[in-house]
Structure formats: C-alpha cells, structure tokens
C-alpha cells in the first residue's frame, strides 16, 4: 500500500475534537464523582450520563490511536532521535508547567470548593487529574523510539485486519477484548502505597498502549487514507450490537436506570471485554464521519488544533471554579451541565489566547511558540500534536 497522497484534513479536526470532548465529560465527572456531596441530579440524568458514556467509550482510544499514527509519520520524516527530542519538548514542558501551576491550583480548589480532597502527586500538594495523558504519551514515544521500524508489521494481512476486511479482523477484536480483561486484572493489583496518582499512571499506560500501537501499525502499513475514512457496511451495525449490552453496565449510565453504580463481577468482566472492541469501532466511525464533514482546511479547525492542548490543560481549573456557582442556579441539571460546559470552554479559550500572547507562556502551555515567532526554516506543514 502507498503512503497517504495528501493531508487528511479531517484528522486535524479529530485531534482537536477529541480533547475538547473532555470538557463536558470532566464537568460531569467532577460534579458526580469528585464533589462532596455528589451531584445526584447529574448522576441520575440520562442526558448527562448517556452523553458522558457515549463519548468516553472512544474519546481517549481515538486520541491515542491518532497519536500513534502521527508518531509513526513524524518519526519517519525526522528520525527517531530528533522526533523524540521534539516530543519531549512539546509534551514535557507543558506537563511540567501545568503540574507546577495548574496542578497546585487544582489541588487547593478540589478541597476548598468541591470539598473532596485530591490525592497528592509525588508526595507534593499537586493534583495530577487530567495531566496524566501527557506522561503516558511521553512514555509511549520513548518506547516506540527504541523499537526499530523493521520490527513493526508493514502491511498486507495486518492492514486488511485493521480495516475490517480480512478474517484477521475478528482476531483483532478478540485481542482487544482480551486486553480489556488484562486491564481488569491490572486494576486488581494492589495500589502503590499512598500513591494513587502514580498507580493511575501505570494503569493508564498499560490500557492505552493498545490504541497507540494500532495507530503506529496503521502508519507503517500505509493505510491512513483507508482506515481513517473506512467504508464498511458492518461498522455501524456492530457498534449498535455492542452498545446494547454496554450501556446497562456502564457506571456512568447505571444510576439513571435505577441500578447500583458498579455492576457485579460478571457484569464488570463483560464490560471490560466489550470496552476496547467498541472503542476501536466507534473511533473508526468518528473518523469516517469527520471525513465526510471536513474536506479541506478551515480557520476554525486551525484555531482549535493550535489551541486544543492549552484549552484542555486549563479547563479543569475553570470547571472547579464554575461548578459551585452554576450548581446553585435554580435550573435543571441538564441546563446546569450545558451552561457550565460552555463557560468552561469560553474561559479556557480565553486562557489559551492569553498563553499564546508571549513566547514563554506559549511554549510552556501550548507546546510551541506563537506562529509569528516560529523560525523561518520551520516546515510549513507543522506536525500534528498528539
């Protein structure tokens, strides 16, 4: 198979959208799981729980799959050493800047406003929260840089299996189901003493290694144009078939059905077995939808692509500040959730604009200098930020 013949513009939209979908999700989960008392009206809302569940199924899977695909692309263009150095700068600096500033603020707000203390990170009064993804992504990059390209499948049956057009596709889905059960087994390992945040990191690294690896293989198999615009008559029916048992087992939905938050052991095992195959199929469905909607470059898409990282980094501070005020309004829980999500998006966008106003803050929170400060020799088609 041949490499992609042109830029896949809808993947720009996808990489921004997948981070931005985290804003309403975290508004909901902060209110439900990380507030004392918990927002029971949020928890019992089918609209809030259904949306959170539906997007959470595939959001981080698709994100890491794209990250793996672009990792393969940029590593091949620049070489493993230069690529890893760039990743360390564009992911490591935002993590350090965020954990030392936003992490400290979030730690205080979690206790002061939401009244449910946050676990410390590395023993310090810092909240890891959503910043874990930067550490995990850096870990994936380091592992991938150490693997020779010749050791990675280059196409053929592997590519056809990924595109659901070979008998190997069933084996792929079965392997993803098995990896979901491995996740459950990992969750039963005793946590690192007094280190829940550090425990979360290794668990997330293990779990999300599957989509990152699939993205890397998709690049090496040269199936980008096909897999990210997949036309398969089995895709939607299979997604619907898997969603039928998934929803009643998802802790985000169960309270709306009058059930206990967590299913029993059998239900948990079924949920974990369904999770990754469903995430893979829904990710392919999202990419296919965006391929239809986004046919070329867009200023709006470019704005959110450039700002998605900073918007995502800032949004949890604003969520904590906004939630207590919005929760006090005499309106329905669904309206509170939507209003809080819109406010968080607007305030996070303003924070991004402020951060990119100087070179230092832009590098620290956006992962790159403002476009006006880019060196003249910089490649016009900037690499995708995972």
């Amino acid at each position: 198979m041949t490499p992609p013949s042109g830029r896949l513009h809808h993947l720009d939209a996808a990489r921004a959208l997948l981070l931005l979908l985290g804003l309403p999700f975290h508004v909901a989960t902060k209110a439900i799981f990380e507030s004392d008392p918990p927002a029971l009206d949020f928890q019992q809302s089918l609209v809030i729980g259904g949306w959170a569940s539906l997007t959470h199924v595939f959001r981080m899977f698709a994100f890491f799959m794209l990250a793996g695909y672009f990792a393969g692309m940029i590593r091949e263009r620049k070489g493993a050493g230069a690529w890893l150095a760039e990743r360390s700068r564009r992911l490591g600096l935002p993590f350090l800047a965020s954990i030392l500033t936003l992490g400290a603020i979030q730690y205080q707000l979690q206790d002061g406003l939401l009244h449910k203390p946050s676990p410390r990170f590395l023993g310090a009064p810092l909240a890891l929260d959503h910043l874990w993804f930067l550490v995990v992504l850096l870990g994936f990059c380091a592992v991938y840089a150490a693997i020779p390209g010749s050791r990675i499948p280059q196409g053929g049956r592997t590519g056809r299996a990924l595109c659901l057009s070979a008998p190997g596709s069933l084996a792929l889905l079965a392997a993803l189901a098995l990896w979901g059960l491995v996740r459950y087994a990992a969750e039963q390992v005793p946590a690192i003493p007094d280190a829940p945040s550090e425990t979360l990191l290794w668990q997330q690294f293990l779990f999300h290694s599957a989509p990152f690896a699939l993205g890397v293989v998709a690049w090496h198999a040269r199936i980008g144009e096909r897999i990210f615009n997949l036309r398969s008559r089995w895709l939607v029916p299979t997604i619907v078939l898997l969603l039928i048992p998934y929803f009643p087992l998802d802790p985000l939905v169960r309270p709306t059905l009058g059930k206990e938050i967590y299913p029993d052991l059998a239900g948990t095992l079924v949920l974990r077995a369904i999770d990754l195959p469903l995430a893979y199929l829904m990710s392919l469905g999202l990419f296919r939808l965006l391929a239809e909607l986004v046919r070329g470059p867009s200023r709006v898409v470019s704005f959110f692509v450039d700002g998605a990282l900073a918007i995502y980094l800032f949004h949890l501070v604003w969520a904590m500040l906004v939630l207590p005020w919005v929760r006090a309004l005499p309106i329905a829980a669904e309206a509170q959730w939507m209003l809080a999500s819109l406010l968080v998006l607007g305030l996070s966008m303003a924070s991004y604009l402020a951060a990119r106003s100087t070179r230092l803050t832009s590098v620290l929170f956006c992962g790159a200098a403002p476009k006006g400060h880019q060196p003249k020799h910089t490649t016009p088609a900037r690499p995708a930020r995972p």
Side-chain angles (χ1 to χ4, degrees), residues 271-290:
L271 180 68
R272 288 291 181 250
I274 293 174
D275 200 1
L276 285 181
L278 179 58
Y280 180 61
L281 297 173
M282 291 188 70
S283 298
L284 297 182
L286 174 71
F287 297 139
R288 174 77 179 90
L289 176 63
L290 290 175

Side-chain angles (χ1 to χ4, degrees), residues 102-121:
L102 303 177
I105 295 171
Q106 288 162 200
Y107 185 88
Q108 298 301 323
L109 293 179
Q110 184 70 50
D111 189 17
L113 291 181
L114 302 187
H115 310 297
K116 191 168 185 178
S118 174
R120 291 172 171 247
F121 179 58

Side-chain angles (χ1 to χ4, degrees), residues 71-158:
M73 178 190 298
I74 308 305
R75 170 183 159 168
E76 187 169 298
R77 290 178 182 175
K78 296 189 172 185
W83 165 75
L84 185 59
E86 180 195 61
R87 291 294 85 192
S88 298
R89 174 177 58 83
R90 297 191 68 169
L91 299 175
L93 286 179
F95 173 73
L96 290 175
S98 297
I99 194 66
L100 294 175
T101 56
L102 303 177
I105 295 171
Q106 288 162 200
Y107 185 88
Q108 298 301 323
L109 293 179
Q110 184 70 50
D111 189 17
L113 291 181
L114 302 187
H115 310 297
K116 191 168 185 178
S118 174
R120 291 172 171 247
F121 179 58
L122 299 179
L126 303 172
L128 181 63
D129 281 331
H130 63 313
L131 303 178
W132 64 265
F133 85 100
L134 289 170
V135 182
V136 169
L137 193 48
L138 270 172
F140 290 156
C141 291
V143 171
Y144 175 44
I147 300 175
S150 59
R151 300 284 298 274
I152 299 172
Q154 302 296 310
R157 289 184 298 176
T158 301

